[in-house]
Amino acid sequence: MRRYPDIRFVLSHAGGFVPYSSHRMAVAIADDTGHTPLEVLRDFRGFYFDTALSSSPAALPTLLAFAKPGHVLYGSDWPFAPTAAARYFTAGLESTLRGGPAAAIDSANVRALIRRLPAPPAPASLFERVRSGIQAGAARTVFKLMQPPGSAERSREASD
């Protein structure tokens, strides 16, 4: 990242293990790089991370605590993941984050990263919004029903 500062790296699946093992890696490679562990952590936090198949109550709070503000982007893993999986994790993102943070992850962060993207599409018709709302509500319900006991409380605490 220091050698090529204009390249923006996007790590898929919430960065895999990077947010979880970043401190261990920073301490281990600090001497080899000539940087302090805090400098290495700052470099790691400079990556961008997508949410593909990673917005579970366990993974999303860790990612949000680690990544720099504005560095989390929506990801679905389409076309590789089944549509049901993409809907499940999208519902997890929407049920964990409400309002501004979800809107930033859904669209604003990637628009800031890639400034030449076209403007968001015009609002959908009333019928499309109602249908989409029903589908999203059903997906959120399925997401909540599939969580282990106690995970809803941990998710709420993490988003506060």
Side-chain angles (χ1 to χ4, degrees):
M1 291 181 71
R2 290 170 189 257
R3 185 178 294 168
Y4 302 102
D6 293 332
I7 296 177
R8 303 295 180 248
F9 295 93
V10 179
L11 305 181
S12 62
H13 303 283
F17 69 98
V18 172
Y20 316 102
S21 64
S22 59
H23 289 262
R24 185 176 2 156
M25 291 188 303
V27 169
I29 67 173
D31 286 338
D32 293 339
T33 62
H35 301 291
T36 68
L38 289 177
E39 291 172 322
V40 175
L41 282 171
R42 187 175 39 241
D43 289 345
F44 287 159
R45 290 183 72 230
F47 288 121
Y48 287 81
F49 305 88
D50 82 15
T51 61
L53 306 181
S54 301
S55 55
S56 70
L60 188 60
T62 302
L63 174 61
L64 295 173
F66 177 75
K68 282 184 181 177
H71 281 229
V72 178
L73 315 169
Y74 175 78
S76 67
D77 209 27
W78 184 88
F80 305 106
T83 302
R87 285 186 181 142
Y88 172 82
F89 285 103
T90 298
L93 181 65
E94 292 171 355
S95 68
T96 302
L97 301 174
R98 303 263 185 227
I105 291 171
D106 283 347
S107 175
N109 293 348
V110 77
R111 290 186 186 289
L113 176 64
I114 306 172
R115 290 186 173 86
R116 65 177 182 227
L117 287 176
S125 69
L126 177 61
F127 172 77
E128 287 296 321
R129 289 192 312 254
V130 168
R131 184 174 68 126
S132 178
I134 292 169
Q135 286 176 335
R140 280 192 297 274
T141 300
V142 169
F143 180 84
K144 288 177 184 176
L145 291 172
M146 293 180 67
Q147 298 311 308
S151 63
E153 291 79 21
R154 288 191 298 275
S155 291
R156 265 195 302 280
E157 291 168 4
S159 66
D160 289 342

